[in-house]
Amino acid sequence: MCGIVAYIGKKEAYPIIIKGLKRLEYRGYDSAGVALFNEDLRVYKKKGKVNDLVSFVKGKNLEGHVGIGHTRWATHGEPNDINAHPHTSDDGRLTIIHNGIIENYATLKEALIKEGHTFTSDTDTEVLIHLIGTLQDKDNLKLEEAVRIALSQVVGAYAIVILDKDDPTKLVAARKASPLVLGIGQNEFFLASDATPLVGYTSQVVYLNDEEIAVVSNDGTFEIKTFDNEIQTPYVQRLNMNIEKLEKGDYEHFMLKEIYEQPNTIADCMRGRVNAAAGWLKMGGIEVQEERIFNAKRFIMAACGTSWHAALIGEYLFEELARIPVEVEYASELRYRNPIINKDDVVIALSQSGETADTMAALELAKEKGALIYGIVNSVGSSISRITDSGSYIHAGPEIGVASTKAFTGQVTALTLMAIYMGYKRGTIPKSYYHQLLEGLEKIPAKVKEALECDNQIKKLATKFINTNHTLYLGRGYNFPVALEGALKLKEISYIHAEGYPAAEMKHGPIALIDENMPVVVIATNKSAYEKIASNIQEVKARKGIVIAIVTKGDTEISKIADYTIEIPDTEEPFTPLLSVIPLQLLSYHIALARGCNVDQPRNLAKSVTVE
Ligand code: M6R
């Protein structure tokens, strides 16, 4: 978490840094700060959002062609002005921005205090910059050398950029287990946690690898070395991102924009992979590892949060369509429980950001054990996408709202394509059904568009649930993970407690909660478990619960018993989640909005969870 941006070149650094921080605010918004150099060093920092910093610096000297900036998600030390980054060395010479955690900061701090250092903040970051400063002073080292030695004493994760006011002609950056992108312009450089702050300035980027240090100078030169001091030949890539995707356009919030983008993002995920008329479906990521994937004994899917819900849908899809055993794991649990993973397993990581620390660590573990690692990732060039053996990008474009929406449907689309591809090749999907599925798939973007038509109905409905304290979400089969996802969406942006359950499990406990004040959202589409779920609705109604049912268009049965029904188009059963999740996303959005919550930046959360 935390977003970092730095600039060195001929332009004014402040506007570039602030614009970049706004684009990175999804990573954390507890405080923000900048350090700028022009004849002297000025550090401004403020608790709150980037806009609070902007108001705070009004009228102040913001000049400088070199600077660093930070937007924070607090780990060590409460969110306040003092703990905000940048932090400085005790003599005020070095200034640092940091994303990550210095795990052994307490030991390092104790040693530094014994040497006479005093600290102003509660952060681990301040310890790091004191350490670097001390090492540099002791042996009169170059800054990059002091950074290298300091990092050899540090345990943890970090992406850092350091500005030395005695040598403001360069910036020194380093990373380990936290992302850092270097943008190369005309005699200017940009450093950032992801590529979004670079858009509009340069399309030449280098994704720094773990344990690399970069030195960028205002004469247009740069050098990248490993922590072992070996010079690296940088791999310069072209950035494929446009400004439109990073802005809200006519939408009030990124979340709403991203919900509405789904007909296109799902189509983008299928583009070049499906052609129903010609009767083919291709998955390049599988083709390059076909032998190992087709001989795999089982698939393990590892993910967190919404991506974990998508993985659960993947389990249903893979087992039903391709008849391959699947286990779905919380990455945070998998990494710490000495799991049995073999060389003939395929471990699939699902991640929107491609930077989630737990997912990354689970993958590293699986890799050590010899499994094939496959990534289903949105963020191009991210850490996860780079350590996998193979994978499929979901091509949803930047997702900025903290609540994941289009990435979820992108992940489910990619999993659906994989399941059909493998099922057909393995002979577990008959030819006629295969063609029916391909045709059905191509209709999904239009059906998602149709599902979005319930927006106004949901907006009105949402007003009835503003004061709700608890909500239950129920579903069966493919719709059970959708119920989990609907509940997560509601709790994360509206702060209403919500639980997702397999509908039949309700009578093993949650039914005790149901009374006339309890809204129960039931996903009751017309496929295999239809009668069963209709009975579950009766059970809720018998206890006076308020039923909001998501039904298939034209349904006449459930509308007789439910209090409210929301229709979605009919589709092949395995594609149901792509449609049934739409009203749930809209429901959480409108309820949160009606409660006055910050939909795009919910409290305590960050988009990219790079700490474990
Ligand atoms: O970037 P990832 O997909 O790895 O992130 C995983 C979770 O942190 C993420 O899905 C989180 O649960 C979202 N806020 C859900 O909307």
mmCIF file of all heavy atoms in Angstrom, residues 116-160:
data_model
loop_
_atom_site.group_PDB
_atom_site.id
_atom_site.type_symbol
_atom_site.label_atom_id
_atom_site.label_comp_id
_atom_site.label_asym_id
_atom_site.label_seq_id
_atom_site.Cartn_x
_atom_site.Cartn_y
_atom_site.Cartn_z
ATOM 1 N N GLY A 116 22.732 7.926 19.582
ATOM 2 C CA GLY A 116 22.386 9.329 19.820
ATOM 3 C C GLY A 116 21.312 9.894 18.901
ATOM 4 O O GLY A 116 21.030 11.089 18.928
ATOM 5 N N HIS A 117 20.696 9.042 18.067
ATOM 6 C CA HIS A 117 19.647 9.543 17.169
ATOM 7 C C HIS A 117 18.359 9.816 17.942
ATOM 8 O O HIS A 117 18.028 9.094 18.873
ATOM 9 C CB HIS A 117 19.337 8.510 16.085
ATOM 10 C CG HIS A 117 20.428 8.387 15.072
ATOM 11 N ND1 HIS A 117 20.334 8.920 13.817
ATOM 12 C CD2 HIS A 117 21.645 7.806 15.143
ATOM 13 C CE1 HIS A 117 21.451 8.661 13.149
ATOM 14 N NE2 HIS A 117 22.265 7.967 13.942
ATOM 15 N N THR A 118 17.641 10.825 17.531
ATOM 16 C CA THR A 118 16.297 11.036 18.081
ATOM 17 C C THR A 118 15.316 10.985 16.919
ATOM 18 O O THR A 118 15.655 11.348 15.788
ATOM 19 C CB THR A 118 16.175 12.404 18.789
ATOM 20 O OG1 THR A 118 16.635 13.392 17.877
ATOM 21 C CG2 THR A 118 16.980 12.446 20.075
ATOM 22 N N PHE A 119 14.104 10.519 17.232
ATOM 23 C CA PHE A 119 13.106 10.323 16.170
ATOM 24 C C PHE A 119 11.890 11.198 16.450
ATOM 25 O O PHE A 119 11.495 11.362 17.601
ATOM 26 C CB PHE A 119 12.704 8.845 16.103
ATOM 27 C CG PHE A 119 13.834 7.972 15.615
ATOM 28 C CD1 PHE A 119 14.761 7.435 16.511
ATOM 29 C CD2 PHE A 119 13.998 7.715 14.272
ATOM 30 C CE1 PHE A 119 15.812 6.652 16.066
ATOM 31 C CE2 PHE A 119 15.053 6.936 13.807
ATOM 32 C CZ PHE A 119 15.962 6.404 14.705
ATOM 33 N N THR A 120 11.328 11.710 15.379
ATOM 34 C CA THR A 120 10.153 12.553 15.585
ATOM 35 C C THR A 120 8.855 11.791 15.309
ATOM 36 O O THR A 120 7.816 12.132 15.838
ATOM 37 C CB THR A 120 10.194 13.788 14.659
ATOM 38 O OG1 THR A 120 10.451 13.331 13.332
ATOM 39 C CG2 THR A 120 11.264 14.766 15.066
ATOM 40 N N SER A 121 8.919 10.753 14.482
ATOM 41 C CA SER A 121 7.684 10.034 14.124
ATOM 42 C C SER A 121 7.685 8.633 14.721
ATOM 43 O O SER A 121 8.676 8.205 15.318
ATOM 44 C CB SER A 121 7.572 9.926 12.604
ATOM 45 O OG SER A 121 8.427 8.893 12.136
ATOM 46 N N ASP A 122 6.571 7.932 14.545
ATOM 47 C CA ASP A 122 6.482 6.533 15.011
ATOM 48 C C ASP A 122 6.741 5.564 13.857
ATOM 49 O O ASP A 122 6.468 4.376 13.967
ATOM 50 C CB ASP A 122 5.057 6.249 15.526
ATOM 51 C CG ASP A 122 4.637 7.240 16.571
ATOM 52 O OD1 ASP A 122 5.476 7.530 17.429
ATOM 53 O OD2 ASP A 122 3.480 7.734 16.503
ATOM 54 N N THR A 123 7.228 6.055 12.745
ATOM 55 C CA THR A 123 7.270 5.204 11.554
ATOM 56 C C THR A 123 8.559 4.383 11.460
ATOM 57 O O THR A 123 9.607 4.772 11.993
ATOM 58 C CB THR A 123 7.180 6.056 10.267
ATOM 59 O OG1 THR A 123 8.345 6.873 10.207
ATOM 60 C CG2 THR A 123 5.942 6.923 10.259
ATOM 61 N N ASP A 124 8.434 3.275 10.735
ATOM 62 C CA ASP A 124 9.602 2.457 10.414
ATOM 63 C C ASP A 124 10.477 3.174 9.372
ATOM 64 O O ASP A 124 11.689 3.013 9.321
ATOM 65 C CB ASP A 124 9.152 1.088 9.888
ATOM 66 C CG ASP A 124 8.087 1.187 8.806
ATOM 67 O OD1 ASP A 124 7.483 2.272 8.643
ATOM 68 O OD2 ASP A 124 7.840 0.192 8.103
ATOM 69 N N THR A 125 9.829 4.010 8.569
ATOM 70 C CA THR A 125 10.528 4.698 7.472
ATOM 71 C C THR A 125 11.591 5.664 7.991
ATOM 72 O O THR A 125 12.692 5.754 7.442
ATOM 73 C CB THR A 125 9.487 5.469 6.630
ATOM 74 O OG1 THR A 125 8.456 4.555 6.272
ATOM 75 C CG2 THR A 125 10.102 6.076 5.402
ATOM 76 N N GLU A 126 11.249 6.357 9.064
ATOM 77 C CA GLU A 126 12.214 7.318 9.617
ATOM 78 C C GLU A 126 13.476 6.588 10.086
ATOM 79 O O GLU A 126 14.596 7.106 9.954
ATOM 80 C CB GLU A 126 11.571 8.098 10.769
ATOM 81 C CG GLU A 126 12.403 9.322 11.141
ATOM 82 C CD GLU A 126 11.904 10.045 12.384
ATOM 83 O OE1 GLU A 126 10.948 9.565 13.031
ATOM 84 O OE2 GLU A 126 12.503 11.082 12.718
ATOM 85 N N VAL A 127 13.287 5.366 10.586
ATOM 86 C CA VAL A 127 14.445 4.575 11.024
ATOM 87 C C VAL A 127 15.353 4.305 9.824
ATOM 88 O O VAL A 127 16.575 4.439 9.899
ATOM 89 C CB VAL A 127 13.962 3.243 11.660
ATOM 90 C CG1 VAL A 127 15.144 2.355 12.023
ATOM 91 C CG2 VAL A 127 13.087 3.522 12.874
ATOM 92 N N LEU A 128 14.742 3.952 8.713
ATOM 93 C CA LEU A 128 15.522 3.624 7.521
ATOM 94 C C LEU A 128 16.346 4.824 7.042
ATOM 95 O O LEU A 128 17.530 4.695 6.721
ATOM 96 C CB LEU A 128 14.584 3.115 6.410
ATOM 97 C CG LEU A 128 15.242 2.761 5.088
ATOM 98 C CD1 LEU A 128 16.321 1.700 5.253
ATOM 99 C CD2 LEU A 128 14.192 2.260 4.071
ATOM 100 N N ILE A 129 15.753 5.996 7.036
ATOM 101 C CA ILE A 129 16.500 7.147 6.504
ATOM 102 C C ILE A 129 17.614 7.578 7.477
ATOM 103 O O ILE A 129 18.691 8.002 7.046
ATOM 104 C CB ILE A 129 15.562 8.325 6.088
ATOM 105 C CG1 ILE A 129 16.288 9.286 5.155
ATOM 106 C CG2 ILE A 129 14.951 9.039 7.264
ATOM 107 C CD1 ILE A 129 16.709 8.727 3.843
ATOM 108 N N HIS A 130 17.371 7.383 8.779
ATOM 109 C CA HIS A 130 18.459 7.657 9.733
ATOM 110 C C HIS A 130 19.620 6.685 9.496
ATOM 111 O O HIS A 130 20.783 7.061 9.523
ATOM 112 C CB HIS A 130 17.954 7.501 11.170
ATOM 113 C CG HIS A 130 17.211 8.704 11.666
ATOM 114 N ND1 HIS A 130 17.423 9.268 12.891
ATOM 115 C CD2 HIS A 130 16.249 9.458 11.075
ATOM 116 C CE1 HIS A 130 16.625 10.315 13.039
ATOM 117 N NE2 HIS A 130 15.888 10.437 11.953
ATOM 118 N N LEU A 131 19.272 5.434 9.270
ATOM 119 C CA LEU A 131 20.300 4.419 9.051
ATOM 120 C C LEU A 131 21.125 4.753 7.809
ATOM 121 O O LEU A 131 22.365 4.723 7.835
ATOM 122 C CB LEU A 131 19.622 3.046 8.897
ATOM 123 C CG LEU A 131 20.528 1.865 8.602
ATOM 124 C CD1 LEU A 131 21.471 1.601 9.777
ATOM 125 C CD2 LEU A 131 19.710 0.602 8.315
ATOM 126 N N ILE A 132 20.437 5.117 6.740
ATOM 127 C CA ILE A 132 21.149 5.446 5.492
ATOM 128 C C ILE A 132 22.062 6.656 5.714
ATOM 129 O O ILE A 132 23.234 6.658 5.331
ATOM 130 C CB ILE A 132 20.141 5.704 4.340
ATOM 131 C CG1 ILE A 132 19.389 4.411 4.003
ATOM 132 C CG2 ILE A 132 20.851 6.249 3.100
ATOM 133 C CD1 ILE A 132 18.198 4.586 3.084
ATOM 134 N N GLY A 133 21.528 7.669 6.387
ATOM 135 C CA GLY A 133 22.307 8.885 6.640
ATOM 136 C C GLY A 133 23.561 8.576 7.459
ATOM 137 O O GLY A 133 24.658 9.064 7.152
ATOM 138 N N THR A 134 23.388 7.758 8.504
ATOM 139 C CA THR A 134 24.523 7.417 9.369
ATOM 140 C C THR A 134 25.599 6.691 8.586
ATOM 141 O O THR A 134 26.791 7.006 8.699
ATOM 142 C CB THR A 134 24.035 6.475 10.503
ATOM 143 O OG1 THR A 134 22.970 7.124 11.141
ATOM 144 C CG2 THR A 134 25.115 6.163 11.491
ATOM 145 N N LEU A 135 25.171 5.696 7.808
ATOM 146 C CA LEU A 135 26.141 4.910 7.037
ATOM 147 C C LEU A 135 26.882 5.802 6.050
ATOM 148 O O LEU A 135 28.097 5.683 5.867
ATOM 149 C CB LEU A 135 25.416 3.780 6.283
ATOM 150 C CG LEU A 135 24.881 2.654 7.174
ATOM 151 C CD1 LEU A 135 23.944 1.753 6.381
ATOM 152 C CD2 LEU A 135 26.033 1.833 7.742
ATOM 153 N N GLN A 136 26.142 6.723 5.445
ATOM 154 C CA GLN A 136 26.773 7.609 4.461
ATOM 155 C C GLN A 136 27.818 8.506 5.130
ATOM 156 O O GLN A 136 28.932 8.647 4.630
ATOM 157 C CB GLN A 136 25.702 8.460 3.768
ATOM 158 C CG GLN A 136 26.223 9.121 2.529
ATOM 159 C CD GLN A 136 25.208 10.043 1.873
ATOM 160 O OE1 GLN A 136 24.148 10.309 2.435
ATOM 161 N NE2 GLN A 136 25.537 10.524 0.693
ATOM 162 N N ASP A 137 27.447 9.062 6.294
ATOM 163 C CA ASP A 137 28.363 9.978 6.997
ATOM 164 C C ASP A 137 29.617 9.266 7.483
ATOM 165 O O ASP A 137 30.717 9.807 7.371
ATOM 166 C CB ASP A 137 27.651 10.610 8.195
ATOM 167 C CG ASP A 137 26.586 11.580 7.718
ATOM 168 O OD1 ASP A 137 26.605 11.929 6.520
ATOM 169 O OD2 ASP A 137 25.728 11.963 8.524
ATOM 170 N N LYS A 138 29.404 8.045 8.027
ATOM 171 C CA LYS A 138 30.528 7.331 8.636
ATOM 172 C C LYS A 138 31.683 7.179 7.666
ATOM 173 O O LYS A 138 32.828 7.454 7.969
ATOM 174 C CB LYS A 138 30.062 5.937 9.078
ATOM 175 C CG LYS A 138 29.789 5.866 10.574
ATOM 176 C CD LYS A 138 29.469 4.433 10.976
ATOM 177 C CE LYS A 138 28.630 4.447 12.226
ATOM 178 N NZ LYS A 138 27.772 3.282 12.320
ATOM 179 N N ASP A 139 31.385 6.724 6.467
ATOM 180 C CA ASP A 139 32.469 6.412 5.522
ATOM 181 C C ASP A 139 32.466 7.318 4.303
ATOM 182 O O ASP A 139 33.068 6.989 3.279
ATOM 183 C CB ASP A 139 32.364 4.935 5.087
ATOM 184 C CG ASP A 139 32.626 4.019 6.253
ATOM 185 O OD1 ASP A 139 33.556 4.324 7.018
ATOM 186 O OD2 ASP A 139 31.892 3.040 6.427
ATOM 187 N N ASN A 140 31.742 8.426 4.405
ATOM 188 C CA ASN A 140 31.683 9.372 3.306
ATOM 189 C C ASN A 140 31.308 8.666 1.991
ATOM 190 O O ASN A 140 31.983 8.814 0.972
ATOM 191 C CB ASN A 140 33.038 10.080 3.199
ATOM 192 C CG ASN A 140 32.889 11.372 2.433
ATOM 193 O OD1 ASN A 140 31.766 11.866 2.297
ATOM 194 N ND2 ASN A 140 33.988 11.889 1.902
ATOM 195 N N LEU A 141 30.244 7.884 2.063
ATOM 196 C CA LEU A 141 29.842 7.055 0.916
ATOM 197 C C LEU A 141 28.984 7.848 -0.051
ATOM 198 O O LEU A 141 28.333 8.829 0.323
ATOM 199 C CB LEU A 141 29.018 5.858 1.400
ATOM 200 C CG LEU A 141 29.701 4.865 2.342
ATOM 201 C CD1 LEU A 141 28.683 3.850 2.829
ATOM 202 C CD2 LEU A 141 30.836 4.149 1.614
ATOM 203 N N LYS A 142 28.959 7.346 -1.285
ATOM 204 C CA LYS A 142 27.959 7.865 -2.237
ATOM 205 C C LYS A 142 26.594 7.436 -1.712
ATOM 206 O O LYS A 142 26.481 6.349 -1.111
ATOM 207 C CB LYS A 142 28.168 7.213 -3.601
ATOM 208 C CG LYS A 142 29.222 7.858 -4.447
ATOM 209 C CD LYS A 142 29.354 7.037 -5.692
ATOM 210 C CE LYS A 142 29.442 7.904 -6.913
ATOM 211 N NZ LYS A 142 29.608 7.087 -8.117
ATOM 212 N N LEU A 143 25.553 8.229 -1.999
ATOM 213 C CA LEU A 143 24.231 7.892 -1.462
ATOM 214 C C LEU A 143 23.810 6.473 -1.856
ATOM 215 O O LEU A 143 23.336 5.692 -1.028
ATOM 216 C CB LEU A 143 23.193 8.912 -1.948
ATOM 217 C CG LEU A 143 21.757 8.649 -1.535
ATOM 218 C CD1 LEU A 143 21.604 8.583 -0.027
ATOM 219 C CD2 LEU A 143 20.815 9.702 -2.102
ATOM 220 N N GLU A 144 23.993 6.115 -3.130
ATOM 221 C CA GLU A 144 23.535 4.802 -3.576
ATOM 222 C C GLU A 144 24.255 3.662 -2.851
ATOM 223 O O GLU A 144 23.689 2.603 -2.602
ATOM 224 C CB GLU A 144 23.653 4.638 -5.100
ATOM 225 C CG GLU A 144 24.961 4.996 -5.743
ATOM 226 C CD GLU A 144 25.063 6.476 -6.118
ATOM 227 O OE1 GLU A 144 24.527 7.328 -5.395
ATOM 228 O OE2 GLU A 144 25.713 6.782 -7.140
ATOM 229 N N GLU A 145 25.500 3.914 -2.465
ATOM 230 C CA GLU A 145 26.273 2.900 -1.753
ATOM 231 C C GLU A 145 25.729 2.759 -0.320
ATOM 232 O O GLU A 145 25.566 1.643 0.193
ATOM 233 C CB GLU A 145 27.756 3.308 -1.777
ATOM 234 C CG GLU A 145 28.736 2.269 -1.286
ATOM 235 C CD GLU A 145 28.610 0.909 -1.956
ATOM 236 O OE1 GLU A 145 27.987 0.804 -3.029
ATOM 237 O OE2 GLU A 145 29.118 -0.061 -1.364
ATOM 238 N N ALA A 146 25.439 3.909 0.280
ATOM 239 C CA ALA A 146 24.873 3.870 1.640
ATOM 240 C C ALA A 146 23.519 3.177 1.625
ATOM 241 O O ALA A 146 23.188 2.395 2.526
ATOM 242 C CB ALA A 146 24.742 5.297 2.176
ATOM 243 N N VAL A 147 22.730 3.429 0.583
ATOM 244 C CA VAL A 147 21.407 2.777 0.463
ATOM 245 C C VAL A 147 21.599 1.267 0.357
ATOM 246 O O VAL A 147 20.933 0.478 1.037
ATOM 247 C CB VAL A 147 20.643 3.328 -0.766
ATOM 248 C CG1 VAL A 147 19.407 2.492 -1.077
ATOM 249 C CG2 VAL A 147 20.251 4.774 -0.542
ATOM 250 N N ARG A 148 22.545 0.873 -0.466
ATOM 251 C CA ARG A 148 22.781 -0.562 -0.683
ATOM 252 C C ARG A 148 23.183 -1.254 0.629
ATOM 253 O O ARG A 148 22.631 -2.305 0.991
ATOM 254 C CB ARG A 148 23.889 -0.734 -1.732
ATOM 255 C CG ARG A 148 23.946 -2.094 -2.371
ATOM 256 C CD ARG A 148 24.992 -2.105 -3.483
ATOM 257 N NE ARG A 148 26.339 -2.003 -2.969
ATOM 258 C CZ ARG A 148 27.029 -3.033 -2.459
ATOM 259 N NH1 ARG A 148 26.485 -4.230 -2.431
ATOM 260 N NH2 ARG A 148 28.240 -2.862 -1.999
ATOM 261 N N ILE A 149 24.061 -0.625 1.375
ATOM 262 C CA ILE A 149 24.516 -1.241 2.626
ATOM 263 C C ILE A 149 23.373 -1.248 3.655
ATOM 264 O O ILE A 149 23.130 -2.243 4.335
ATOM 265 C CB ILE A 149 25.761 -0.505 3.179
ATOM 266 C CG1 ILE A 149 26.916 -0.674 2.178
ATOM 267 C CG2 ILE A 149 26.169 -1.046 4.542
ATOM 268 C CD1 ILE A 149 28.130 0.165 2.471
ATOM 269 N N ALA A 150 22.643 -0.142 3.712
ATOM 270 C CA ALA A 150 21.528 -0.080 4.674
ATOM 271 C C ALA A 150 20.505 -1.171 4.363
ATOM 272 O O ALA A 150 20.021 -1.865 5.269
ATOM 273 C CB ALA A 150 20.869 1.300 4.608
ATOM 274 N N LEU A 151 20.206 -1.354 3.101
ATOM 275 C CA LEU A 151 19.175 -2.336 2.744
ATOM 276 C C LEU A 151 19.630 -3.762 3.053
ATOM 277 O O LEU A 151 18.803 -4.638 3.285
ATOM 278 C CB LEU A 151 18.771 -2.188 1.274
ATOM 279 C CG LEU A 151 18.050 -0.870 0.954
ATOM 280 C CD1 LEU A 151 17.658 -0.806 -0.515
ATOM 281 C CD2 LEU A 151 16.827 -0.648 1.838
ATOM 282 N N SER A 152 20.944 -3.971 3.090
ATOM 283 C CA SER A 152 21.419 -5.314 3.441
ATOM 284 C C SER A 152 21.152 -5.601 4.928
ATOM 285 O O SER A 152 21.161 -6.733 5.359
ATOM 286 C CB SER A 152 22.900 -5.464 3.120
ATOM 287 O OG SER A 152 23.655 -4.665 4.016
ATOM 288 N N GLN A 153 20.884 -4.554 5.702
ATOM 289 C CA GLN A 153 20.592 -4.751 7.134
ATOM 290 C C GLN A 153 19.096 -4.766 7.421
ATOM 291 O O GLN A 153 18.669 -4.939 8.551
ATOM 292 C CB GLN A 153 21.232 -3.615 7.937
ATOM 293 C CG GLN A 153 22.734 -3.558 7.787
ATOM 294 C CD GLN A 153 23.338 -2.369 8.540
ATOM 295 O OE1 GLN A 153 22.743 -1.824 9.453
ATOM 296 N NE2 GLN A 153 24.533 -1.978 8.147
ATOM 297 N N VAL A 154 18.326 -4.544 6.382
ATOM 298 C CA VAL A 154 16.879 -4.372 6.574
ATOM 299 C C VAL A 154 16.123 -5.642 6.200
ATOM 300 O O VAL A 154 16.420 -6.281 5.202
ATOM 301 C CB VAL A 154 16.414 -3.183 5.683
ATOM 302 C CG1 VAL A 154 14.935 -3.244 5.395
ATOM 303 C CG2 VAL A 154 16.779 -1.864 6.339
ATOM 304 N N VAL A 155 15.135 -5.993 7.035
ATOM 305 C CA VAL A 155 14.240 -7.097 6.695
ATOM 306 C C VAL A 155 12.884 -6.466 6.384
ATOM 307 O O VAL A 155 12.406 -5.637 7.163
ATOM 308 C CB VAL A 155 14.073 -8.069 7.897
ATOM 309 C CG1 VAL A 155 13.131 -9.217 7.535
ATOM 310 C CG2 VAL A 155 15.423 -8.602 8.348
ATOM 311 N N GLY A 156 12.303 -6.847 5.270
ATOM 312 C CA GLY A 156 10.973 -6.304 4.996
ATOM 313 C C GLY A 156 10.726 -6.066 3.526
ATOM 314 O O GLY A 156 11.394 -6.643 2.666
ATOM 315 N N ALA A 157 9.734 -5.221 3.273
ATOM 316 C CA ALA A 157 9.333 -4.932 1.896
ATOM 317 C C ALA A 157 9.430 -3.424 1.696
ATOM 318 O O ALA A 157 9.063 -2.668 2.591
ATOM 319 C CB ALA A 157 7.903 -5.386 1.683
ATOM 320 N N TYR A 158 9.909 -3.026 0.555
ATOM 321 C CA TYR A 158 10.003 -1.586 0.355
ATOM 322 C C TYR A 158 10.149 -1.214 -1.117
ATOM 323 O O TYR A 158 10.694 -1.959 -1.920
ATOM 324 C CB TYR A 158 11.211 -0.998 1.119
ATOM 325 C CG TYR A 158 12.459 -1.849 1.023
ATOM 326 C CD1 TYR A 158 13.277 -1.789 -0.092
ATOM 327 C CD2 TYR A 158 12.772 -2.757 2.030
ATOM 328 C CE1 TYR A 158 14.402 -2.590 -0.201
ATOM 329 C CE2 TYR A 158 13.893 -3.573 1.928
ATOM 330 C CZ TYR A 158 14.703 -3.490 0.815
ATOM 331 O OH TYR A 158 15.794 -4.296 0.689
ATOM 332 N N ALA A 159 9.589 -0.058 -1.415
ATOM 333 C CA ALA A 159 9.955 0.690 -2.625
ATOM 334 C C ALA A 159 10.267 2.056 -2.060
ATOM 335 O O ALA A 159 9.441 2.636 -1.336
ATOM 336 C CB ALA A 159 8.799 0.743 -3.594
ATOM 337 N N ILE A 160 11.464 2.558 -2.331
ATOM 338 C CA ILE A 160 11.867 3.839 -1.736
ATOM 339 C C ILE A 160 12.463 4.757 -2.805
ATOM 340 O O ILE A 160 13.001 4.285 -3.808
ATOM 341 C CB ILE A 160 12.913 3.655 -0.601
ATOM 342 C CG1 ILE A 160 14.137 2.849 -1.100
ATOM 343 C CG2 ILE A 160 12.315 2.987 0.617
ATOM 344 C CD1 ILE A 160 15.299 2.813 -0.105
#
